[in-house]
């Protein structure tokens, strides 16, 4: 049997937001019992059926790369990390809904990862020094995942989910908010499972089926970073 084609998806976010727990849930369909500190980079694989239930259905490996570390790291640490940013087909940005700083840091994480991909000489983004042009044509599908939804009190949910909706909009991405310690949030057939599946389909489509320069469906707007945040460019 021919080996399966694969795509590489980065899983980025601050330490402790739940990346290992999320990846375990996505790849093993199980809650990670006892998460240990992720040292360096860890890679797990999810077997994904592209266009499931259609005549074009095909199985792919989704490699989920959890690079680890802190976004405020010294540049030497960042350049070490940069080797993992080559040939990335998609990015999952993970933040902890109980921790605003972890949401804000997603801008820096995405800049670090994307600039490495677009500037082969390895010029990395430093604090607050964002190159607005580098992101004008980002074609890498992004997904924003908020964790620890179970830790948000009912009375605060609306406020928190409004904030995350703006964040996802900034990245022109779909968003999912969940509790990584409860597999029901990704149960087969649930809206979250459908979103995840659509995201991986998009990553595969971009990698294997779309020619360079084609727009991906679901990413109609061009985006550009302005002063550290992504702003839409409107072409009226
Ligand atoms: N209550 C709750 N705890 C979570 C959730 N996601 C992760 N955790 C816990 O948060 C801690 C850090 O998770 P981990 O997956 O190691 O984060 P990482 O450093 O980003 O890989 C662990 O104790 C997890 O069990 C969640 O959605 N809800
Ligand atoms: Mg970890």
């Amino acid at each position: 049997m021919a080996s399966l084609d694969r795509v590489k998806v980065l899983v980025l976010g601050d330490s402790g937001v739940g990346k290992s727990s999320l990846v375990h849930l996505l790849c093993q369909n199980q809650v990670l019992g006892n998460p240990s500190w992720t040292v360096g980079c860890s890679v797990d694989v999810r077997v994904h059926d592209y266009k499931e239930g259609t005549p074009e259905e095909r199985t792919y490996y989704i490699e989920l790369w959890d690079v680890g570390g802190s976004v405020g790291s010294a540049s030497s640490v960042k350049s070490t990390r940069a080797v993992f940013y080559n040939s990335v087909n998609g990015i999952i940005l993970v933040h902890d809904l109980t921790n605003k700083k972890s949401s804000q840091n997603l801008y820096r994480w995405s800049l670090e990862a994307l600039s490495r991909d677009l500037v082969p000489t390895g010029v990395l983004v430093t604090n607050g020094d964002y190159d607005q042009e580098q992101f004008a044509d980002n074609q890498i599908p992004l997904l924003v995942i908020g964790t620890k939804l179970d830790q948000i009190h009912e009375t605060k949910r609306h406020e928190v989910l409004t904030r995350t909706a703006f964040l996802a909009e900034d990245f022109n991405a779909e968003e999912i908010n969940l509790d990584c310690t409860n597999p029901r949030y990704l149960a087969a057939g649930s809206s979250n499972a459908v979103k995840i599946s659509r995201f991986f389909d998009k990553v595969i489509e971009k990698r294997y089926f779309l020619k360079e320069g084609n727009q991906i469906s679901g990413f109609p707007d061009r985006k550009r970073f302005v002063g550290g945040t992504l702003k839409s460019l409107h072409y009226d």
Side-chain angles (χ1 to χ4, degrees):
M1 198 180 97
S3 65
L4 295 181
D5 283 330
R6 65 195 183 89
V7 289
K8 174 175 175 178
V9 174
L10 281 178
V11 181
L12 296 178
D14 290 354
S15 292
V17 293
K19 296 182 300 298
S20 298
S21 307
L22 174 72
V23 167
H24 196 78
L25 193 56
L26 285 173
C27 296
Q28 321 295 333
N29 284 318
Q30 272 175 3
V31 169
L32 181 59
N34 190 11
S36 53
W37 198 252
T38 307
V39 179
C41 174
S42 81
V43 184
D44 215 334
V45 175
R46 174 183 164 105
V47 179
H48 175 72
D49 291 323
Y50 172 72
K51 294 204 172 170
E52 195 176 5
T54 73
E56 297 115 289
E57 178 169 330
R58 226 188 119 185
T59 307
Y60 286 83
Y61 284 137
I62 312 275
E63 291 176 358
L64 293 166
W65 290 60
D66 171 357
V67 174
S70 156
V71 77
S73 304
S75 58
S76 57
V77 177
K78 285 187 179 179
S79 7
T80 309
R81 204 153 58 205
V83 299
F84 300 117
Y85 297 152
N86 285 320
S87 321
V88 168
N89 306 119
I91 301 179
I92 298 178
L93 296 167
V94 188
H95 64 126
D96 171 350
L97 297 173
T98 68
N99 175 351
K100 274 190 189 171
K101 185 78 191 158
S102 74
S103 315
Q104 279 306 312
N105 278 342
L106 291 185
Y107 295 104
R108 299 170 67 190
W109 277 113
S110 60
L111 280 162
E112 187 185 308
L114 291 172
S115 68
R116 179 61 188 86
D117 209 58
L118 298 174
V119 185
T121 47
V123 179
L124 292 175
V125 175
T126 54
N127 262 357
D129 181 17
Y130 303 131
D131 182 344
Q132 298 170 10
E133 291 305 314
Q134 291 184 49
F135 299 93
D137 288 308
N138 172 37
Q139 290 282 304
I140 297 179
L142 304 174
L143 176 67
V144 177
I145 296 194
T147 61
K148 311 196 187 179
L149 185 58
D150 55 302
Q151 303 288 306
I152 306 288
H153 194 266
E154 283 293 338
T155 55
K156 283 271 177 198
R157 283 211 177 167
H158 181 71
E159 179 192 324
V160 169
L161 297 184
T162 304
R163 177 163 62 80
T164 68
F166 278 114
L167 184 75
E169 196 182 325
D170 274 351
F171 288 108
N172 205 14
E174 284 272 16
E175 66 158 344
I176 290 174
N177 294 301
L178 49 57
D179 166 10
C180 299
T181 65
N182 184 345
R184 272 181 301 179
Y185 280 88
L186 290 182
S190 65
S191 66
N192 287 343
V194 170
K195 275 187 198 172
I196 293 268
S197 193
R198 270 208 314 251
F199 171 71
F200 289 139
D201 276 7
K202 194 180 287 177
V203 172
I204 291 164
E205 195 158 278
K206 172 72 183 146
R207 166 69 182 82
Y208 288 103
F209 298 102
L210 290 183
K211 290 211 177 71
E212 200 67 24
N214 278 6
Q215 280 288 343
I216 315 167
S217 60
F219 287 81
D221 291 337
R222 301 188 122 204
K223 293 276 176 172
R224 173 180 292 240
F225 272 75
V226 177
T229 56
L230 276 163
K231 301 265 197 258
S232 303
L233 279 184
H234 297 288
Y235 295 104
D236 297 323

